[in-house]
């Protein structure tokens, strides 16, 4: 049984920084990508950043230049460094793993709240 868990959320003032971490207990074979999504109240869950297992990142336009995604291949831990945070970044942030067998829908964390005050 695989359990995905995020950590590092919290309350920060606008302009501040937070670093989110995500790890999976148990083995996920054939990981192809790891990503971060976010969902604000009343809105859909949107991709924030994703990194392929080979290390190629891509970002939502709204976070380019402010957020950085990285991963530790040895532990399959994925990080999201968030700088210059804005109130509109407030959301629940979810970690996601993709693999060749099950795609990107099978492995999700429970989410961690990020609140940016103005």
């Amino acid at each position: 049984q695989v359990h995905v868990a995020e950590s590092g959320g919290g309350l920060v003032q606008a302009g501040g920084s937070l670093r989110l971490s995500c790890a999976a207990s148990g083995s996920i074979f054939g990981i192809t990508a790891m990503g971060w999504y976010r969902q604000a109240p009343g809105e859909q869950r949107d991709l924030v950043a994703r990194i392929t297992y080979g290390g190629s990142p891509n970002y939502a336009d709204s976070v380019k230049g402010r957020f950085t995604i990285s991963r530790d291949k040895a532990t399959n831990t994925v990080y999201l460094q968030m700088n210059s945070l804005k109130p509109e970044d407030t959301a629940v942030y979810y970690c996601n793993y993709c693999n060749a067998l099950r795609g990107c829908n099978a492995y999700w964390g429970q989410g961690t709240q990020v609140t940016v005050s103005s």
Side-chain angles (χ1 to χ4, degrees):
Q1 187 76 15
V2 174
H3 178 68
V4 177
E6 304 94 341
S7 61
L11 173 65
V12 64
Q13 288 188 329
S17 298
L18 283 174
R19 189 188 194 216
L20 306 182
S21 300
C22 176
S25 62
S27 297
I28 303 176
F29 295 102
I31 293 175
T32 54
M34 308 169 194
W36 289 94
Y37 290 70
R38 67 186 181 188
Q39 187 169 20
E43 298 187 13
Q44 66 181 18
R45 188 175 299 187
D46 291 325
L47 178 67
V48 175
R50 177 179 286 154
I51 187 166
T52 67
Y53 198 67
S56 297
N58 67 283
Y59 299 93
D61 287 343
S62 59
V63 306
K64 283 180 181 176
R66 300 187 298 123
F67 291 10
T68 302
I69 189 170
S70 61
R71 89 277 184 261
D72 182 334
K73 290 178 71 173
T75 60
N76 286 334
T77 302
V78 59
Y79 305 96
L80 186 68
Q81 178 66 43
M82 304 185 293
N83 298 329
S84 302
L85 282 160
K86 304 175 181 180
E88 50 264 44
D89 294 318
T90 295
V92 178
Y93 283 70
Y94 296 91
C95 175
N96 170 259
Y97 288 77
C98 307
N99 74 350
L101 181 63
R102 303 185 68 180
C104 298
N105 292 322
Y107 303 109
W108 289 92
Q110 293 298 305
T112 185
Q113 177 70 46
V114 171
T115 303
V116 184
S117 63
S118 57

